[in-house]
Structures are given as structure tokens and as C-alpha cells.
Amino acid sequence: MEKDVHLKLISATALGDRKAFAALYQQTSGKLLAICINMLGNRALAEEAIQDAYVKIWHNAAEYQRHKGTVLTWMISIARYRALDILRYQKVRKEEPMLNEAEGNAIDLETLADTGSVHQLNRCIGELPQEQQQAIHLAYFNGYSHQEAVHYLDKPLGTIKSWIRRGLQQLQRCLTR
């Protein structure tokens, strides 16, 4: 099982095993890069985010806590937060906006990887009500803050937070079926 392999590799990485870290990178970098490209809309910035994320993963491998989620989920959150930092930095510098406009409510996750889990995630997202799909897309794939999603969707903050929370709960239930 992929989760068990990742767990063994992160455990060995925590002990300083460079070969285990290289194997972990080989198995996960495509997924993390696709997420960052989707968020940043720019491959060079995504590669920068991934490089920083893997440095953090190497240094903090011992901090991984199994009860909080899978190794891949932990790694995705590190890469996602790094991409969000880059987005915020770009906004502060008032450069070209890096956020992709949400086109309708379609969420294209096919670029993540060609695995069954991605197809399952796509299926589960497709089962969400349209407003939850869009709110989750804005927050998790385009890196919008809740406040930015409020302005984009022209809905109250509480509504946006509820859509995201309920949508994530539905996704979790769907993915564990």
C-alpha cells in the first residue's frame, strides 16, 4: 500500500536516510508540483515552492504525526503553504496576479497524477453542490483567503466558511467509503 511505503520512507528520512528521502521525492514530487502549478499558474514559481517544501520536509521529517493524516497529506500541506506564501508575496509586490480565475465550477485535478486516488477525489468533488465546489476550488487550489473568496463569490464570510467546512467534511466521508 502506498501509504505504508510513504510512512517507511518518512521514518527513514527522519533518521537522516538520504536514499529514503530521494525515494520519497521520486514518488511524491509529481503530485506536489502539479498542486503548486495549479495554485500558482507558473511552473517556475511552482518549482521554487516545491524546492522549499522538500527542504522543509527533510528538516522536519521527525515532526510528522501519523494520527493527523497520511504522509502525503502532510507533505501536500507543506507545499500548499509554501505556494500560498509565494502568492502573498506576489500580491505585496503588486506583480501580475498569479491566481487563476475559476472557470465555472469545474475543478481539474487530472494534472495531479494518474492514480486511482485522484480519480476518486475528482468523483467526490463532483458530488458536492456547485457552491461548495467553487468555494473549495478558490480556497484550496487557487490559494484565495476566505476574505478574497467573499469578494469573488459576493457572499457573506460565514456562508463561505460554511460551504468550505461542509464541503471538506463531505469529501472526507466520500474518500473514506
Side-chain angles (χ1 to χ4, degrees):
M1 176 178 257
E2 188 176 320
K3 292 178 187 178
D4 293 335
V5 171
H6 292 159
L7 184 58
K8 288 177 184 174
L9 292 173
I10 199 71
S11 297
T13 298
L15 298 172
D17 185 335
R18 292 177 186 268
K19 288 182 181 178
F21 182 65
L24 185 65
Y25 176 86
Q26 187 72 23
Q27 291 181 16
T28 59
S29 61
K31 292 177 185 178
L32 277 90
L33 181 61
I35 290 168
C36 289
I37 289 172
N38 196 16
M39 288 179 69
L40 296 166
N42 178 303
R43 186 175 183 93
L45 290 175
E47 289 173 351
E48 178 185 330
I50 291 303
Q51 180 178 354
D52 293 346
Y54 276 100
V55 168
K56 187 168 185 169
I57 290 164
W58 170 257
H59 290 293
N60 295 304
E63 304 296 318
Y64 166 71
Q65 296 175 15
R66 187 177 190 174
H67 67 277
K68 290 187 176 181
T70 67
V71 172
L72 187 58
T73 301
W74 178 72
M75 293 173 68
I76 288 170
S77 71
I78 291 171
R80 185 178 169 278
Y81 282 117
R82 182 61 192 120
L84 288 172
D85 288 344
I86 290 172
L87 284 171
R88 288 183 191 109
Y89 178 75
Q90 295 296 323
K91 284 182 183 180
V92 168
R93 294 191 59 206
K94 298 189 190 280
E95 292 185 1
E96 282 288 311
M98 292 284 120
L99 297 177
N100 297 325
E101 291 298 319
E103 295 178 13
N105 293 315
I107 299 174
D108 179 20
L109 297 178
E110 290 301 319
T111 56
L112 289 179
D114 187 24
T115 66
S117 61
V118 171
H119 296 296
Q120 184 181 5
L121 180 60
N122 278 327
R123 180 185 53 76
C124 292
I125 288 174
E127 293 175 7
L128 295 175
Q130 211 169 18
E131 64 273 359
Q132 288 178 354
Q133 286 183 27
Q134 191 168 25
I136 288 172
H137 186 209
L138 291 173
Y140 285 88
F141 298 105
N142 283 358
Y144 281 40
S145 69
H146 286 118
Q147 201 59 44
E148 290 168 324
V150 163
H151 293 296
Y152 186 87
L153 297 172
D154 197 28
K155 297 290 180 187
L157 179 61
T159 300
I160 300 297
K161 286 183 175 182
S162 293
W163 285 348
I164 292 170
R165 187 182 71 252
R166 284 191 217 122
L168 291 175
Q169 288 169 343
Q170 276 185 265
L171 281 176
Q172 185 176 12
R173 284 191 298 272
C174 180
L175 291 169
T176 56
R177 283 192 243 158

Coordinates of all heavy atoms in Angstrom, one line a residue, residues 8-99:
K8 N 7.2 4.4 5.8 CA 8.5 3.9 6.0 C 9.6 4.9 5.5 O 10.6 5.0 6.1 CB 8.6 2.5 5.2 CG 7.9 1.4 5.9 CD 8.0 0.1 5.1 CE 7.1 -0.9 5.7 NZ 7.0 -2.2 4.9
L9 N 9.3 5.5 4.3 CA 10.3 6.4 3.8 C 10.4 7.7 4.7 O 11.5 8.2 4.9 CB 9.9 6.8 2.4 CG 10.0 5.7 1.3 CD1 9.4 6.1 0.0 CD2 11.4 5.2 1.2
I10 N 9.3 8.2 5.2 CA 9.4 9.4 6.0 C 10.1 9.1 7.4 O 10.9 9.9 7.9 CB 8.1 10.1 6.2 CG1 8.3 11.6 6.7 CG2 7.2 9.4 7.2 CD1 8.8 12.5 5.7
S11 N 9.8 7.9 7.8 CA 10.5 7.4 9.1 C 12.0 7.3 8.9 O 12.8 7.8 9.8 CB 9.9 6.1 9.6 OG 8.6 6.2 9.9
A12 N 12.4 6.7 7.8 CA 13.8 6.6 7.5 C 14.4 8.0 7.2 O 15.6 8.3 7.6 CB 14.1 5.7 6.3
T13 N 13.7 8.9 6.6 CA 14.2 10.3 6.3 C 14.4 11.0 7.6 O 15.4 11.7 7.8 CB 13.1 11.0 5.4 OG1 13.0 10.4 4.2 CG2 13.6 12.5 5.2
A14 N 13.5 10.8 8.6 CA 13.7 11.4 9.9 C 15.0 11.0 10.6 O 15.5 11.7 11.4 CB 12.5 11.0 10.8
L15 N 15.5 9.8 10.2 CA 16.7 9.3 10.7 C 17.9 9.8 9.9 O 19.1 9.3 10.1 CB 16.7 7.8 10.9 CG 15.6 7.2 11.8 CD1 15.6 5.7 11.7 CD2 15.9 7.7 13.2
G16 N 17.7 10.6 8.9 CA 18.8 11.1 8.0 C 19.1 10.2 6.8 O 20.1 10.4 6.2
D17 N 18.3 9.3 6.5 CA 18.5 8.4 5.3 C 18.2 9.1 4.0 O 17.1 9.4 3.6 CB 17.6 7.2 5.4 CG 17.9 6.1 4.4 OD1 18.4 6.5 3.3 OD2 17.6 5.0 4.6
R18 N 19.3 9.5 3.3 CA 19.2 10.3 2.1 C 18.5 9.5 1.0 O 17.8 10.0 0.1 CB 20.5 10.8 1.6 CG 21.1 11.9 2.6 CD 22.5 12.3 2.1 NE 23.1 13.2 3.1 CZ 23.0 14.5 3.1 NH1 22.3 15.1 2.1 NH2 23.5 15.3 4.0
K19 N 18.8 8.2 0.9 CA 18.2 7.3 -0.1 C 16.7 7.2 0.1 O 16.0 7.2 -0.9 CB 18.8 5.9 -0.1 CG 20.2 5.9 -0.6 CD 20.8 4.5 -0.7 CE 22.3 4.6 -1.2 NZ 22.9 3.2 -1.2
A20 N 16.3 7.1 1.3 CA 14.8 7.1 1.6 C 14.2 8.4 1.2 O 13.1 8.4 0.6 CB 14.6 6.8 3.1
F21 N 14.9 9.5 1.5 CA 14.3 10.8 1.1 C 14.3 11.0 -0.4 O 13.3 11.5 -1.0 CB 15.2 12.0 1.7 CG 14.7 13.3 1.4 CD1 13.5 13.8 1.9 CD2 15.4 14.2 0.5 CE1 13.0 15.1 1.6 CE2 15.0 15.5 0.2 CZ 13.8 15.9 0.8
A22 N 15.3 10.5 -1.1 CA 15.3 10.5 -2.6 C 14.1 9.7 -3.1 O 13.4 10.1 -4.1 CB 16.6 10.0 -3.2
A23 N 13.9 8.5 -2.6 CA 12.7 7.7 -3.0 C 11.4 8.4 -2.7 O 10.5 8.3 -3.5 CB 12.8 6.3 -2.3
L24 N 11.3 9.0 -1.5 CA 10.1 9.7 -1.2 C 9.8 10.9 -2.2 O 8.7 11.1 -2.7 CB 10.2 10.3 0.2 CG 8.9 11.0 0.8 CD1 7.8 10.0 0.9 CD2 9.3 11.6 2.2
Y25 N 10.9 11.6 -2.5 CA 10.8 12.7 -3.5 C 10.4 12.1 -4.9 O 9.5 12.6 -5.5 CB 12.2 13.3 -3.7 CG 12.2 14.4 -4.7 CD1 11.8 15.7 -4.5 CD2 12.6 14.1 -6.0 CE1 11.8 16.7 -5.5 CE2 12.5 15.0 -7.0 CZ 12.2 16.3 -6.7 OH 12.1 17.3 -7.7
Q26 N 11.0 11.0 -5.3 CA 10.6 10.4 -6.6 C 9.2 10.0 -6.6 O 8.5 10.2 -7.6 CB 11.5 9.1 -6.8 CG 11.4 8.5 -8.1 CD 12.0 9.3 -9.2 OE1 12.9 10.1 -9.0 NE2 11.6 9.1 -10.4
Q27 N 8.6 9.5 -5.5 CA 7.2 9.0 -5.5 C 6.2 10.2 -5.4 O 5.1 10.0 -5.8 CB 7.0 8.0 -4.4 CG 7.7 6.7 -4.6 CD 7.5 5.8 -3.5 OE1 6.5 5.9 -2.7 NE2 8.3 4.7 -3.4
T28 N 6.6 11.3 -4.8 CA 5.6 12.3 -4.5 C 5.8 13.7 -5.2 O 4.8 14.5 -5.2 CB 5.6 12.6 -3.0 OG1 6.9 13.0 -2.6 CG2 5.3 11.4 -2.2
S29 N 6.9 13.9 -5.8 CA 7.2 15.2 -6.3 C 6.2 15.6 -7.5 O 5.9 16.8 -7.6 CB 8.6 15.4 -6.8 OG 8.9 14.4 -7.8
G30 N 5.8 14.7 -8.3 CA 4.9 15.0 -9.4 C 3.6 15.5 -8.9 O 3.0 16.5 -9.4
K31 N 3.1 14.9 -7.8 CA 1.8 15.3 -7.2 C 1.9 16.7 -6.6 O 1.1 17.6 -6.8 CB 1.3 14.3 -6.2 CG 0.9 13.0 -6.8 CD 0.5 12.0 -5.7 CE 0.3 10.7 -6.3 NZ -0.1 9.6 -5.4
L32 N 3.0 16.9 -5.9 CA 3.2 18.2 -5.2 C 3.4 19.3 -6.2 O 2.9 20.4 -6.1 CB 4.3 18.2 -4.2 CG 3.9 17.6 -2.8 CD1 4.0 16.1 -2.8 CD2 4.6 18.3 -1.7
L33 N 4.2 19.0 -7.3 CA 4.4 20.0 -8.3 C 3.1 20.4 -9.0 O 2.8 21.6 -9.3 CB 5.4 19.5 -9.3 CG 5.8 20.5 -10.5 CD1 6.4 21.8 -9.9 CD2 6.8 19.8 -11.4
A34 N 2.3 19.4 -9.3 CA 1.0 19.7 -10.0 C 0.1 20.6 -9.2 O -0.5 21.5 -9.7 CB 0.3 18.4 -10.3
I35 N 0.1 20.3 -7.9 CA -0.7 21.2 -7.0 C -0.2 22.6 -7.0 O -1.0 23.6 -7.1 CB -0.7 20.6 -5.5 CG1 -1.5 19.3 -5.5 CG2 -1.3 21.6 -4.5 CD1 -1.4 18.5 -4.2
C36 N 1.1 22.8 -6.9 CA 1.7 24.1 -6.9 C 1.5 24.8 -8.2 O 1.2 26.0 -8.2 CB 3.1 24.0 -6.5 SG 3.3 23.6 -4.7
I37 N 1.6 24.1 -9.3 CA 1.4 24.7 -10.6 C 0.0 25.2 -10.7 O -0.3 26.3 -11.2 CB 1.7 23.8 -11.8 CG1 3.3 23.6 -11.9 CG2 1.2 24.3 -13.1 CD1 3.7 22.5 -12.9
N38 N -0.9 24.3 -10.3 CA -2.4 24.7 -10.3 C -2.6 25.9 -9.4 O -3.4 26.8 -9.8 CB -3.2 23.5 -9.8 CG -4.7 23.7 -10.1 OD1 -5.1 24.5 -11.0 ND2 -5.5 22.9 -9.5
M39 N -2.0 26.0 -8.3 CA -2.2 27.2 -7.4 C -1.5 28.5 -8.0 O -2.1 29.5 -7.9 CB -1.7 26.9 -6.0 CG -2.5 25.9 -5.2 SD -1.8 25.6 -3.6 CE -2.0 27.2 -2.8
L40 N -0.3 28.3 -8.5 CA 0.5 29.5 -8.8 C 0.3 29.9 -10.3 O 0.6 31.0 -10.7 CB 2.0 29.2 -8.5 CG 2.3 29.0 -7.0 CD1 3.7 28.5 -6.8 CD2 2.1 30.4 -6.3
G41 N -0.1 28.9 -11.1 CA -0.2 29.2 -12.6 C 1.1 29.5 -13.2 O 1.1 30.1 -14.3
N42 N 2.2 29.1 -12.6 CA 3.5 29.4 -13.2 C 4.5 28.3 -12.7 O 4.7 28.1 -11.5 CB 4.0 30.8 -12.6 CG 5.4 31.2 -13.0 OD1 6.3 30.5 -12.8 ND2 5.4 32.4 -13.6
R43 N 5.1 27.6 -13.7 CA 5.9 26.4 -13.4 C 7.2 26.8 -12.6 O 7.5 26.1 -11.7 CB 6.3 25.7 -14.7 CG 7.0 24.4 -14.3 CD 7.3 23.6 -15.6 NE 8.0 22.4 -15.2 CZ 7.4 21.2 -14.9 NH1 6.1 21.1 -15.1 NH2 8.1 20.1 -14.6
A44 N 7.8 27.9 -13.0 CA 9.0 28.3 -12.3 C 8.7 28.6 -10.8 O 9.5 28.2 -9.9 CB 9.6 29.6 -12.9
L45 N 7.6 29.3 -10.5 CA 7.3 29.6 -9.1 C 6.9 28.3 -8.4 O 7.2 28.1 -7.2 CB 6.1 30.6 -9.0 CG 6.5 32.0 -9.4 CD1 5.2 32.9 -9.4 CD2 7.5 32.6 -8.5
A46 N 6.2 27.4 -9.1 CA 5.8 26.1 -8.5 C 7.1 25.3 -8.2 O 7.1 24.7 -7.1 CB 4.9 25.3 -9.5
E47 N 8.1 25.3 -9.0 CA 9.3 24.6 -8.7 C 10.0 25.2 -7.5 O 10.6 24.5 -6.7 CB 10.2 24.6 -10.0 CG 9.7 23.7 -11.1 CD 10.4 23.8 -12.4 OE1 11.3 24.7 -12.5 OE2 10.1 22.9 -13.3
E48 N 10.0 26.5 -7.4 CA 10.6 27.2 -6.2 C 9.8 26.7 -5.0 O 10.5 26.4 -4.0 CB 10.5 28.7 -6.4 CG 11.0 29.5 -5.2 CD 10.8 31.0 -5.4 OE1 10.7 31.5 -6.5 OE2 10.6 31.6 -4.3
A49 N 8.5 26.7 -5.0 CA 7.7 26.3 -3.9 C 8.1 24.8 -3.5 O 8.2 24.5 -2.3 CB 6.2 26.4 -4.2
I50 N 8.2 24.0 -4.5 CA 8.5 22.5 -4.2 C 9.9 22.4 -3.6 O 10.1 21.6 -2.7 CB 8.3 21.7 -5.6 CG1 6.9 21.7 -6.0 CG2 8.9 20.3 -5.4 CD1 6.0 21.1 -4.9
Q51 N 10.8 23.1 -4.2 CA 12.2 23.0 -3.6 C 12.2 23.4 -2.1 O 12.7 22.7 -1.3 CB 13.1 23.9 -4.4 CG 14.6 23.9 -3.8 CD 15.5 24.7 -4.6 OE1 15.2 25.3 -5.7 NE2 16.7 24.8 -4.2
D52 N 11.5 24.5 -1.8 CA 11.4 25.0 -0.4 C 10.7 23.9 0.4 O 11.1 23.7 1.6 CB 10.7 26.3 -0.3 CG 11.6 27.4 -0.9 OD1 12.8 27.2 -1.2 OD2 11.0 28.5 -1.1
A53 N 9.6 23.4 -0.1 CA 8.8 22.4 0.6 C 9.7 21.2 0.9 O 9.6 20.7 2.1 CB 7.6 22.0 -0.2
Y54 N 10.4 20.7 0.0 CA 11.2 19.5 0.2 C 12.4 19.7 1.2 O 12.7 18.9 2.0 CB 11.7 18.8 -1.1 CG 10.7 17.9 -1.7 CD1 9.9 18.3 -2.7 CD2 10.4 16.7 -1.1 CE1 8.9 17.5 -3.2 CE2 9.4 15.8 -1.6 CZ 8.7 16.3 -2.7 OH 7.7 15.5 -3.2
V55 N 12.9 20.9 1.2 CA 13.9 21.3 2.2 C 13.2 21.2 3.6 O 13.8 20.6 4.6 CB 14.5 22.7 2.0 CG1 15.3 23.2 3.2 CG2 15.4 22.7 0.7
K56 N 12.0 21.8 3.7 CA 11.3 21.7 5.0 C 11.0 20.3 5.4 O 11.1 19.9 6.5 CB 10.1 22.6 4.9 CG 9.4 22.7 6.2 CD 8.3 23.8 6.2 CE 7.8 24.0 7.6 NZ 6.9 25.1 7.7
I57 N 10.6 19.5 4.4 CA 10.2 18.1 4.7 C 11.5 17.3 5.2 O 11.4 16.6 6.2 CB 9.7 17.4 3.4 CG1 8.2 18.0 3.1 CG2 9.6 15.9 3.6 CD1 7.7 17.7 1.7
W58 N 12.6 17.6 4.6 CA 13.9 16.9 5.0 C 14.2 17.3 6.5 O 14.5 16.5 7.3 CB 15.0 17.3 4.1 CG 16.4 16.9 4.6 CD1 17.3 17.7 5.2 CD2 16.9 15.6 4.6 NE1 18.4 17.0 5.5 CE2 18.2 15.7 5.2 CE3 16.5 14.4 4.2 CZ2 19.0 14.5 5.4 CZ3 17.3 13.2 4.3 CH2 18.5 13.4 4.9
H59 N 14.1 18.6 6.8 CA 14.5 19.1 8.1 C 13.4 18.7 9.2 O 13.8 18.6 10.3 CB 14.7 20.6 8.1 CG 15.9 21.0 7.4 ND1 17.2 20.7 7.8 CD2 16.1 21.7 6.2 CE1 18.1 21.1 7.0 NE2 17.5 21.7 6.0
N60 N 12.2 18.5 8.7 CA 11.1 18.3 9.7 C 10.5 16.9 9.6 O 9.4 16.7 10.2 CB 10.0 19.4 9.6 CG 10.5 20.7 9.9 OD1 11.1 21.0 10.9 ND2 10.5 21.6 8.9
A61 N 11.1 16.0 9.0 CA 10.5 14.7 8.8 C 10.2 14.0 10.2 O 9.2 13.3 10.3 CB 11.5 13.7 8.1
A62 N 10.9 14.3 11.2 CA 10.7 13.7 12.5 C 9.4 14.3 13.1 O 8.9 13.8 14.1 CB 11.9 13.9 13.4
E63 N 9.0 15.5 12.6 CA 7.8 16.1 13.1 C 6.5 15.5 12.6 O 5.4 15.9 13.1 CB 7.8 17.6 12.8 CG 9.1 18.4 13.3 CD 9.2 18.4 14.8 OE1 8.2 18.6 15.5 OE2 10.3 18.1 15.3
Y64 N 6.6 14.7 11.6 CA 5.3 14.1 11.0 C 4.6 13.3 12.1 O 5.2 12.5 12.9 CB 5.7 13.2 9.9 CG 4.5 12.3 9.5 CD1 3.4 12.9 8.9 CD2 4.5 10.9 9.8 CE1 2.3 12.1 8.6 CE2 3.4 10.1 9.4 CZ 2.3 10.7 8.8 OH 1.2 9.9 8.5
Q65 N 3.3 13.5 12.2 CA 2.5 12.8 13.2 C 1.4 12.0 12.5 O 0.5 12.6 11.9 CB 1.8 13.8 14.2 CG 2.9 14.6 15.0 CD 2.3 15.7 15.8 OE1 1.1 15.7 16.1 NE2 3.1 16.6 16.3
R66 N 1.6 10.7 12.6 CA 0.7 9.8 11.9 C -0.8 10.0 12.2 O -1.6 9.9 11.3 CB 1.1 8.4 12.2 CG 0.5 7.3 11.4 CD 1.0 5.9 11.8 NE 0.5 5.0 10.8 CZ 0.9 3.7 10.8 NH1 1.7 3.3 11.7 NH2 0.3 2.9 9.9
H67 N -1.1 10.3 13.4 CA -2.5 10.4 13.8 C -3.2 11.6 13.2 O -4.4 11.7 13.2 CB -2.7 10.4 15.3 CG -2.1 11.6 16.0 ND1 -0.8 11.8 16.3 CD2 -2.7 12.8 16.4 CE1 -0.6 12.9 16.8 NE2 -1.7 13.6 16.9
K68 N -2.4 12.5 12.6 CA -3.0 13.7 12.0 C -3.3 13.6 10.5 O -3.9 14.5 9.9 CB -2.1 14.9 12.2 CG -2.1 15.4 13.7 CD -1.3 16.7 13.8 CE -1.4 17.2 15.2 NZ -0.6 18.4 15.4
G69 N -2.9 12.5 9.9 CA -3.1 12.3 8.5 C -2.0 11.5 7.8 O -1.0 11.2 8.5
T70 N -2.1 11.2 6.5 CA -1.1 10.5 5.8 C 0.1 11.3 5.6 O 0.1 12.5 5.7 CB -1.7 10.0 4.5 OG1 -1.9 11.1 3.6 CG2 -2.9 9.2 4.6
V71 N 1.2 10.6 5.2 CA 2.4 11.3 4.9 C 2.2 12.3 3.7 O 2.6 13.4 3.8 CB 3.6 10.3 4.6 CG1 4.8 11.1 4.1 CG2 3.9 9.5 5.8
L72 N 1.5 11.8 2.7 CA 1.3 12.6 1.5 C 0.4 13.8 1.9 O 0.7 14.9 1.4 CB 0.6 11.8 0.4 CG 0.4 12.5 -0.9 CD1 1.8 13.0 -1.5 CD2 -0.3 11.6 -1.9
T73 N -0.5 13.7 2.7 CA -1.4 14.8 3.1 C -0.5 15.9 3.8 O -0.6 17.1 3.6 CB -2.5 14.4 4.1 OG1 -3.3 13.4 3.3 CG2 -3.4 15.5 4.5
W74 N 0.4 15.4 4.7 CA 1.3 16.3 5.4 C 2.2 17.0 4.5 O 2.4 18.2 4.6 CB 2.1 15.5 6.4 CG 3.1 16.2 7.2 CD1 2.9 17.1 8.2 CD2 4.6 16.1 7.1 NE1 4.1 17.5 8.7 CE2 5.1 16.9 8.0 CE3 5.4 15.4 6.2 CZ2 6.5 17.1 8.2 CZ3 6.8 15.5 6.4 CH2 7.3 16.4 7.3
M75 N 2.7 16.3 3.5 CA 3.6 16.9 2.5 C 2.9 17.9 1.6 O 3.4 19.0 1.3 CB 4.3 15.8 1.7 CG 5.2 14.9 2.5 SD 5.9 13.5 1.5 CE 6.9 14.4 0.3
I76 N 1.7 17.6 1.2 CA 0.9 18.5 0.4 C 0.6 19.8 1.2 O 0.7 20.9 0.6 CB -0.5 17.8 0.0 CG1 -0.2 16.8 -1.1 CG2 -1.5 18.9 -0.5 CD1 -1.4 15.9 -1.4
S77 N 0.3 19.7 2.5 CA 0.1 20.9 3.2 C 1.3 21.8 3.3 O 1.2 23.0 3.2 CB -0.5 20.6 4.6 OG 0.5 20.0 5.4
I78 N 2.5 21.2 3.4 CA 3.7 22.0 3.4 C 3.9 22.7 2.1 O 4.2 23.9 2.0 CB 4.9 21.1 3.7 CG1 4.9 20.6 5.2 CG2 6.3 21.8 3.5 CD1 5.9 19.5 5.6
A79 N 3.7 21.9 1.0 CA 3.9 22.5 -0.3 C 2.8 23.6 -0.6 O 3.1 24.7 -1.1 CB 3.8 21.5 -1.4
R80 N 1.6 23.3 -0.1 CA 0.5 24.3 -0.3 C 0.8 25.6 0.4 O 0.6 26.7 -0.1 CB -0.8 23.7 0.1 CG -2.0 24.5 -0.1 CD -3.3 23.8 0.3 NE -4.4 24.7 0.3 CZ -4.7 25.6 1.3 NH1 -3.9 25.6 2.4 NH2 -5.7 26.4 1.2
Y81 N 1.2 25.5 1.7 CA 1.5 26.7 2.4 C 2.7 27.5 1.8 O 2.6 28.7 1.8 CB 1.8 26.4 3.9 CG 0.6 26.1 4.7 CD1 0.3 24.8 5.3 CD2 -0.4 27.0 4.9 CE1 -0.8 24.6 6.0 CE2 -1.6 26.8 5.6 CZ -1.8 25.5 6.1 OH -2.9 25.3 6.8
R82 N 3.6 26.8 1.3 CA 4.7 27.5 0.6 C 4.2 28.2 -0.6 O 4.6 29.4 -0.9 CB 5.9 26.5 0.2 CG 7.0 27.2 -0.4 CD 7.7 28.2 0.5 NE 8.6 29.0 -0.2 CZ 8.5 30.4 -0.4 NH1 7.6 31.1 0.2 NH2 9.4 31.0 -1.1
A83 N 3.3 27.6 -1.4 CA 2.7 28.2 -2.6 C 1.9 29.4 -2.2 O 1.9 30.5 -2.8 CB 1.9 27.2 -3.3
L84 N 1.2 29.3 -1.1 CA 0.4 30.4 -0.6 C 1.3 31.6 -0.2 O 1.0 32.8 -0.4 CB -0.5 30.0 0.6 CG -1.7 29.2 0.3 CD1 -2.4 28.6 1.5 CD2 -2.7 29.9 -0.6
D85 N 2.4 31.3 0.5 CA 3.4 32.3 0.8 C 3.9 33.1 -0.5 O 4.0 34.3 -0.5 CB 4.6 31.7 1.5 CG 4.3 31.3 2.9 OD1 3.3 31.7 3.5 OD2 5.1 30.5 3.5
I86 N 4.1 32.3 -1.5 CA 4.6 32.9 -2.8 C 3.5 33.8 -3.3 O 3.7 34.9 -3.8 CB 5.0 31.9 -3.8 CG1 6.3 31.2 -3.3 CG2 5.2 32.4 -5.2 CD1 6.8 30.0 -4.1
L87 N 2.2 33.3 -3.3 CA 1.1 34.1 -3.8 C 1.0 35.4 -3.0 O 0.8 36.5 -3.6 CB -0.2 33.4 -3.6 CG -0.5 32.3 -4.7 CD1 -1.7 31.4 -4.3 CD2 -0.6 32.9 -6.0
R88 N 1.1 35.3 -1.7 CA 1.0 36.6 -0.9 C 2.1 37.5 -1.2 O 1.9 38.7 -1.3 CB 1.0 36.2 0.6 CG -0.3 35.5 1.0 CD -0.3 35.2 2.5 NE -1.4 34.4 2.8 CZ -1.4 33.1 3.2 NH1 -0.2 32.5 3.3 NH2 -2.5 32.4 3.4
Y89 N 3.3 37.0 -1.4 CA 4.5 37.8 -1.7 C 4.2 38.5 -3.0 O 4.5 39.7 -3.2 CB 5.7 37.0 -1.8 CG 7.0 37.7 -2.1 CD1 7.6 38.6 -1.2 CD2 7.5 37.6 -3.4 CE1 8.7 39.3 -1.6 CE2 8.6 38.3 -3.8 CZ 9.2 39.2 -2.9 OH 10.3 39.9 -3.2
Q90 N 3.7 37.8 -4.0 CA 3.4 38.4 -5.3 C 2.4 39.5 -5.2 O 2.5 40.5 -5.9 CB 2.9 37.3 -6.3 CG 3.8 36.2 -6.6 CD 5.0 36.7 -7.4 OE1 4.9 37.6 -8.2 NE2 6.2 36.1 -7.1
K91 N 1.4 39.3 -4.3 CA 0.4 40.4 -4.1 C 1.0 41.6 -3.5 O 0.7 42.7 -3.9 CB -0.7 39.9 -3.3 CG -1.7 39.0 -4.0 CD -2.8 38.6 -3.0 CE -3.7 37.6 -3.7 NZ -4.8 37.2 -2.9
V92 N 1.9 41.4 -2.5 CA 2.5 42.5 -1.8 C 3.4 43.3 -2.8 O 3.4 44.5 -2.8 CB 3.4 42.0 -0.7 CG1 4.3 43.1 -0.1 CG2 2.5 41.5 0.5
R93 N 4.0 42.6 -3.7 CA 4.9 43.3 -4.7 C 4.1 43.8 -5.9 O 4.6 44.5 -6.7 CB 5.9 42.3 -5.2 CG 6.9 41.9 -4.1 CD 8.1 41.1 -4.6 NE 8.8 41.9 -5.6 CZ 9.6 41.4 -6.6 NH1 9.6 40.1 -6.7 NH2 10.2 42.1 -7.4
K94 N 2.8 43.6 -5.8 CA 1.9 44.1 -6.9 C 2.3 43.7 -8.3 O 2.2 44.4 -9.2 CB 1.7 45.6 -6.8 CG 1.1 46.0 -5.4 CD 0.7 47.4 -5.4 CE 0.3 47.9 -4.1 NZ -1.0 47.6 -3.6
E95 N 2.8 42.4 -8.4 CA 3.1 41.9 -9.7 C 1.9 41.4 -10.3 O 0.8 41.4 -9.8 CB 4.2 40.8 -9.6 CG 5.5 41.3 -9.1 CD 6.6 40.3 -9.1 OE1 6.3 39.1 -9.5 OE2 7.7 40.6 -8.7
E96 N 2.0 40.8 -11.5 CA 0.9 40.2 -12.2 C 0.3 39.2 -11.2 O 1.0 38.4 -10.6 CB 1.4 39.4 -13.4 CG 1.7 40.2 -14.6 CD 0.5 40.7 -15.3 OE1 -0.4 40.0 -15.6 OE2 0.5 42.0 -15.6
P97 N -1.1 39.2 -11.1 CA -1.7 38.2 -10.3 C -1.4 36.8 -10.7 O -1.5 36.5 -11.9 CB -3.2 38.6 -10.4 CG -3.3 39.5 -11.5 CD -2.0 40.0 -11.8
M98 N -1.1 36.0 -9.8 CA -0.8 34.6 -10.1 C -2.0 33.7 -10.0 O -1.9 32.5 -10.3 CB 0.3 34.1 -9.2 CG 1.6 34.7 -9.4 SD 2.4 34.1 -10.8 CE 2.6 35.5 -11.8
L99 N -3.1 34.2 -9.4 CA -4.3 33.4 -9.2 C -5.0 33.1 -10.5 O -5.2 34.0 -11.3 CB -5.2 34.0 -8.2 CG -4.7 34.3 -6.8 CD1 -5.7 35.0 -6.0 CD2 -4.3 33.0 -6.2

